[in-house]
Amino acid sequence: MQAKKRYILVIICCAFLAYCYLGGYRLKGLQALFRMRIRKDPDNLPCYHQLHYQYTDSAERADHAQPLPDDDLFAPPAYESPRSRDLAPVPAFQGGAVRRITDEASASFKSCRMETCFDFSKCSDKNFYVYVYPPEPLNSLGAPPPISQNYQKIISAIQESRYYTSDPAQACLFVLGIDTLDRDSLSEDFVRNVPSRLQRLPHWNNGRNHIIFNLYSGTWPDYNENGLGFDPGQAILAKASMSVQSLRPGFDVSIPLFHKQFPLRGGNTGFVVSNNFPANKKYLLAFKGKRYVHGIGSETRNSLFHLHNARDFVLVTTCKHGKSWRDLQDARCDEDNREYDRYDYETLLQNSTFCLVPRGRRLGSFRFLEVLQAGCIPVLLSNSWVLPFQSKIDWKQAAIWADERLLLQVPDIVRSVSTSRILALRQQTQVLWERYFSSIEKIIFTTFEIIRERLPDYPHRNGLIWNTSPGALLTIPTFADTYRRFPFLLDKLGHTPGLNYTAVIFVQIGTQLTPNTALYKLVKSITKSQYIDKILILWATDRSVPPKKRWPSTGHIPLHIISGSTSEDRPSISQRFYPHEQIETDAVLSLDEDAILNTDELDFAYQVWRDFPDRIVGYPARAHFWDDSKNAWGYTSKWTNYYSIVLTGAAFYHRYYNYLYTNWLSYLLLKTVQQSSNCEDILMNLLVSHVTRKPPIKVTQRKGYKDRESGRSPWNDPDHFIQRQSCLNTFAAVFGYMPLLRSNLRLDPVLYRDSVSNLRKKYRQIELVGS
């Protein structure tokens, strides 16, 4: 009997194993068939959103930081369709999760995509124009329609930018003249009757190709995220506090929440100094803010006192907010309020390694930008929040996620972060703050560039560009299709600039060309250089161009002469920085016609530039300073212990800056140069310093570089210096800050002026140069 039972047990086990094996084999076959279908016809697979799941594992977003091959730096991956290009899953908490989306949210996802709710025919890959509706007419009382300070800043930023057009027929995007930032019906900035106002807009077309900016939606007590009070139709929402359930991926854009005092342009720099030590500050984790006794957002903030120990964890809250806080306070409010008053908020920011960013009534918080600027690593407690610009920015490099439901795990999470990663996270907070979040202008322009990359013919910048300095706003993909052509990426990726340089001589005076004139001698010195590729003469004077026989022989070195302005709307003095098609080398040697430099000086400066291809490297130096008596920036040519400007009358720089100067700088800046016929060299220095956040580099001791016999030189005009001081202040105002940085570095050749044999020296002619 026992043997019979054993036989039956063996048979059952064998049958079970056979079933598992055959079932597993069948499952593997189905998986293989599914993979084969993906390879054969990927377009017929079910839509991502039809699966009713959102995969939030951090591995899905790892491609943001991976560089592509040289030729594909700005091209979307071969497998990426316009529909899925900006589908960036949002982690609800660190480590990843799978979140089921409700039927209502899923329907919202399906409502609009770029290919269904956007007219690409209105847009050009070369010109991306934005039209802003004019203000509405005065009401019956003669008052203008209400508009908040922040919305006026948004409109001003657009109208003063290269995106703006006053012709709606040219526009790709339309921006409302109606203030939609605050849609809380209890707010003083709430604008009423928006639905009827939208219907009166001549180009509304149910919101097609429109973008609506919004910071707050919904009101007490539910703070409905979709409670705008009007139907946005097919308009793109650029909205703060967006959730994964409401975001229409690849269509809407999540933006940060910013306060009313936020700057229009420029903005304050980040607080972290390079190589800031120690890695761990006085407090490991800190937070100071409101505590909601009940309602939305109260669960997390009401529990923070469990983590507070007043030593390395300082998390203090107060009940003192709102008109009726005394009526709503609980038994712990008095103790919380006393602990709250013990700490200064700014001191906590500056002395904390991690800063908690819990959700408020809405998913977003002012704390996010504040801790980002301070270089305090954000620890996010806001499940389902779509972080600002998350489709492009890899927030794993700058922030830590935690789960609201697992608050007590936060101490273990922050203690487990290594010192090296803390430093990397802190440095990345500064990159993101300065490049995308320090001003309203940058936030709006980043929004536009994200939408612009969705155009079918516009190059797609990969994660390397978006997540490293100087960022996507300063990396124009139409310049080149490989990172080898961008000066600030060469060092990061271990490459060197291309060989040789193009000399560009700007002729503004045009004296008679003889063997004794400075221009003639300058061309001869250049032709002797072993690194010269070609010479470009920009003839910007009314005098006729000398015949070819009067120019010195250049041998095999090509010499091109471009006469007159190449465009009516471009100021003639700025054509020296125009990206002429004849300039094919990375290095550009910019020279004034009366510059006096010998061949050794040119070659030495070029060799220095090859080590610093992202900077201006040259001879004549100037400095800026703050004048307290005039409450303005000053400009000096005096010989001091520091400098911040290297004049482009004798300097090397990368040709990409010509492209930026012509195609990126504000028209207000170029107009200032045009009206003064001056200051173009100062503007180029501000541009390069703004891009690199580094000062220029001066070579050798030379103080002067001009031919003093050129009596007609405009630089001898006393008004010239006054103009340059005025330009400097105008430029700083338009940039929103002063980009120039001071330096006291000077590079000289080895053995220069040493009492050794001249035969041992590489640049012997520099010995002959006076100061």
Side-chain angles (χ1 to χ4, degrees):
M1 189 66 183
Q2 294 297 329
K4 185 177 180 179
K5 289 182 178 179
R6 286 196 296 268
Y7 289 141
I8 292 174
L9 183 60
V10 170
I11 292 172
I12 292 174
C13 291
C14 292
F16 179 75
L17 292 174
Y19 175 79
C20 291
Y21 174 78
L22 294 175
Y25 181 83
R26 181 174 178 272
L27 180 60
K28 291 178 182 178
L30 290 176
Q31 291 174 340
L33 178 62
F34 187 70
R35 287 194 296 267
M36 186 178 300
R37 288 181 59 191
I38 291 178
R39 288 193 295 266
K40 287 185 176 180
D41 193 8
D43 295 331
N44 290 332
L45 292 175
C47 176
Y48 169 83
H49 303 289
Q50 293 173 356
L51 300 177
H52 298 285
Y53 286 96
Q54 178 171 6
Y55 292 86
T56 60
D57 192 278
S58 59
E60 292 192 16
R61 300 180 298 112
D63 65 314
H64 284 296
Q66 299 301 320
L68 297 177
D70 290 0
D71 295 335
D72 296 326
L73 182 63
F74 301 109
Y79 59 83
E80 194 174 41
S81 67
R83 173 191 289 270
S84 64
R85 176 182 294 178
D86 292 314
L87 295 181
V90 183
F93 54 91
Q94 192 175 17
V98 179
R99 182 182 302 275
R100 181 175 293 274
I101 298 175
T102 64
D103 291 338
E104 179 182 356
S106 179
S108 174
F109 280 153
K110 296 177 183 177
S111 61
C112 265
R113 295 294 179 269
M114 292 296 289
E115 52 276 31
T116 60
C117 294
F118 196 88
D119 186 359
F120 291 109
S121 66
K122 291 180 174 291
C123 306
S124 167
D125 60 326
K126 295 182 179 179
N127 297 312
F128 184 81
Y129 289 126
V130 180
Y131 174 78
V132 179
Y133 283 95
E136 293 180 290
L138 302 180
N139 59 25
S140 58
L141 300 178
I147 185 169
S148 65
Q149 183 178 358
N150 273 344
Y151 201 72
Q152 184 58 57
K153 290 178 183 178
I154 290 176
I155 292 177
S156 298
I158 298 172
Q159 291 178 334
E160 295 172 3
S161 73
R162 285 182 174 268
Y163 296 102
Y164 178 68
T165 179
S166 58
D167 183 3
Q170 294 182 347
C172 172
L173 277 180
F174 294 79
V175 173
L176 304 180
I178 306 168
D179 186 353
T180 58
L181 284 186
D182 194 341
R183 300 307 299 159
D184 186 337
S185 58
L186 299 179
S187 172
E188 61 181 10
D189 292 327
F190 180 78
V191 177
R192 305 185 183 279
N193 303 322
V194 172
S196 59
R197 294 180 178 185
L198 290 177
Q199 298 306 317
R200 291 197 294 266
L201 297 179
H203 312 288
W204 175 241
N205 191 23
N206 194 31
R208 200 173 184 85
N209 284 59
H210 285 63
I211 181 169
I212 293 174
F213 294 97
N214 175 253
L215 296 181
Y216 313 97
S217 60
T219 189
W220 174 265
D222 58 351
Y223 293 95
N224 179 17
E225 182 185 351
N226 298 317
L228 294 174
F230 63 92
D231 180 11
Q234 298 179 343
I236 296 172
L237 290 180
K239 191 176 184 304
S241 303
M242 296 194 80
S243 69
V244 295
Q245 291 83 4
S246 297
L247 175 77
R248 294 170 292 183
F251 193 73
D252 295 329
V253 180
S254 177
I255 64 174
L257 188 65
F258 50 87
H259 52 69
K260 293 183 178 180
Q261 290 75 37
F262 213 66
L264 168 60
R265 56 175 64 90
N268 294 325
T269 58
F271 297 157
V272 175
V273 180
S274 180
N275 297 324
N276 190 28
F277 295 100
N280 293 312
K281 297 189 177 183
K282 180 178 180 181
Y283 305 113
L284 184 60
L285 179 66
F287 172 76
K288 182 178 181 179
K290 297 177 182 178
R291 178 164 76 85
Y292 306 117
V293 179
H294 63 86
I296 295 177
S298 62
E299 297 87 351
T300 300
R301 296 199 180 199
N302 280 344
S303 303
L304 294 181
F305 75 97
H306 291 293
L307 304 183
H308 175 70
N309 61 18
R311 296 187 302 274
D312 57 341
F313 285 79
V314 176
L315 299 106
V316 291
T317 58
T318 180
C319 300
K320 293 181 180 179
H321 58 88
K323 297 180 180 179
S324 57
W325 72 269
R326 292 187 180 278
D327 298 332
L328 300 174
Q329 65 179 332
D330 57 21
R332 211 182 65 249
C333 277
D334 289 340
E335 180 183 352
D336 284 352
N337 293 341
R338 285 193 298 270
E339 195 71 6
Y340 178 89
D341 293 336
R342 287 181 53 195
Y343 298 93
D344 177 71
Y345 178 62
E346 294 297 332
T347 303
L348 280 179
L349 282 181
Q350 297 298 322
N351 291 277
S352 301
T353 304
F354 296 92
C355 287
L356 201 67
V357 183
R359 64 161 296 163
R361 294 300 192 188
R362 300 172 178 88
L363 292 176
S365 169
F366 290 125
R367 293 288 185 272
F368 183 69
L369 289 187
E370 291 169 354
V371 303
L372 205 66
Q373 180 185 12
C376 188
I377 302 166
V379 178
L380 307 173
L381 275 176
S382 184
N383 291 8
S384 300
W385 181 27
V386 181
L387 292 187
F389 309 139
Q390 177 143 345
S391 63
K392 299 299 180 184
I393 293 178
D394 183 9
W395 285 105
K396 295 194 309 294
Q397 300 181 32
I400 300 292
W401 279 269
D403 188 349
E404 291 181 71
R405 300 163 298 181
L406 304 173
L407 177 64
L408 298 182
Q409 291 186 359
V410 170
D412 291 334
I413 291 175
V414 296
R415 286 193 176 105
S416 66
V417 181
S418 66
T419 301
S420 59
R421 190 175 180 222
I422 287 175
L423 291 175
L425 289 167
R426 184 176 297 154
Q427 289 172 350
Q428 187 65 5
T429 62
Q430 304 306 279
V431 171
L432 298 179
W433 165 259
E434 293 192 0
R435 298 308 180 180
Y436 302 115
F437 296 107
S438 63
S439 68
I440 291 177
E441 182 184 68
K442 291 177 183 176
I443 292 172
I444 300 306
F445 291 176
T446 303
T447 302
F448 289 162
E449 285 302 307
I450 289 175
I451 297 173
R452 189 177 192 177
E453 281 199 2
R454 298 171 182 168
L455 302 182
D457 298 327
Y458 195 75
H460 179 246
R461 286 160 286 199
N462 75 346
L464 174 69
I465 300 299
W466 279 94
N467 292 281
T468 58
S469 189
L473 296 185
L474 290 166
T475 307
I476 303 179
T478 51
F479 170 73
D481 58 358
T482 171
Y483 56 69
R484 297 176 185 272
R485 294 291 177 261
F486 292 85
F488 36 76
L489 294 177
L490 291 171
D491 183 61
K492 293 184 178 76
L493 301 169
H495 295 288
T496 56
L499 297 175
N500 300 333
Y501 64 85
T502 301
V504 179
I505 305 176
F506 186 67
V507 179
Q508 193 175 7
I509 304 171
T511 57
Q512 186 177 2
L513 191 63
T514 66
N516 294 323
T517 57
L519 177 58
Y520 191 97
K521 296 176 181 178
L522 183 60
V523 173
K524 283 192 69 174
S525 295
I526 296 172
T527 57
K528 295 177 183 178
S529 171
Q530 57 181 313
Y531 305 113
I532 183 64
D533 180 73
K534 68 180 63 171
I535 301 173
L536 198 61
I537 307 292
L538 300 182
W539 197 265
T541 177
D542 294 334
R543 293 174 178 266
S544 58
V545 179
K548 188 175 182 180
K549 63 181 181 179
R550 288 188 173 274
W551 294 92
S553 174
T554 59
H556 65 284
I557 307 300
L559 188 146
H560 301 276
I561 300 177
I562 298 178
S563 178
S565 178
T566 57
S567 174
E568 294 180 359
D569 60 350
R570 183 170 60 255
S572 60
I573 198 171
S574 286
Q575 70 170 303
R576 71 183 306 166
F577 299 134
Y578 183 74
H580 298 279
E581 61 182 10
Q582 291 89 348
I583 303 176
E584 299 175 326
T585 59
D586 289 342
V588 176
L589 170 60
S590 177
L591 295 164
D592 287 332
E593 62 187 298
D594 52 354
I596 305 177
L597 295 170
N598 61 46
T599 305
D600 273 1
E601 289 180 294
L602 299 177
D603 287 353
F604 173 67
Y606 171 70
Q607 287 295 339
V608 172
W609 176 86
R610 285 185 60 81
D611 291 329
F612 305 93
D614 57 337
R615 308 203 213 180
I616 297 177
V617 176
Y619 286 90
R622 301 290 185 266
H624 78 291
F625 63 95
W626 180 255
D627 190 339
D628 286 324
S629 62
K630 298 180 180 178
N631 196 32
W633 292 105
Y635 172 88
T636 180
S637 59
K638 293 181 179 179
W639 193 253
T640 62
N641 290 330
Y642 73 92
Y643 63 92
S644 55
I645 298 171
V646 167
L647 302 184
T648 55
F652 283 91
Y653 63 88
H654 197 284
R655 71 185 179 102
Y656 177 63
Y657 296 124
N658 280 348
Y659 195 84
L660 277 184
Y661 186 98
T662 304
N663 297 287
W664 182 85
L665 281 177
S666 166
Y667 289 121
L668 295 176
L669 296 170
L670 298 180
K671 185 177 181 181
T672 301
V673 172
Q674 181 181 21
Q675 291 176 342
S676 63
S677 293
N678 195 350
C679 310
E680 82 289 352
D681 50 353
I682 297 178
L683 181 55
M684 176 60 86
N685 272 266
L686 266 76
L687 172 62
V688 177
S689 293
H690 174 69
V691 172
T692 63
R693 303 308 299 134
K694 299 174 185 176
I697 293 178
K698 174 174 172 51
V699 290
T700 81
Q701 94 299 345
R702 180 189 279 273
K703 298 179 183 178
Y705 73 107
K706 294 284 187 178
D707 179 11
R708 295 183 176 86
E709 296 179 1
S710 299
R712 293 187 55 207
S713 173
W715 297 277
N716 295 330
D717 186 349
D719 293 335
H720 176 80
F721 187 80
I722 299 176
Q723 283 182 340
R724 292 174 78 79
Q725 293 215 90
S726 175
C727 288
L728 187 63
N729 284 277
T730 301
F731 295 158
V734 176
F735 273 96
Y737 78 114
M738 172 52 73
L740 295 177
L741 299 170
R742 295 181 179 182
S743 175
N744 53 14
L745 171 70
R746 192 185 83 194
L747 297 181
D748 292 339
V750 177
L751 302 180
Y752 176 54
R753 289 191 176 277
D754 287 355
S755 56
V756 298
S757 171
N758 197 41
L759 296 177
R760 296 177 58 184
K761 300 182 180 182
K762 184 176 181 180
Y763 303 102
R764 303 174 192 173
Q765 293 184 29
I766 296 183
E767 290 284 338
L768 307 177
V769 178
S771 60

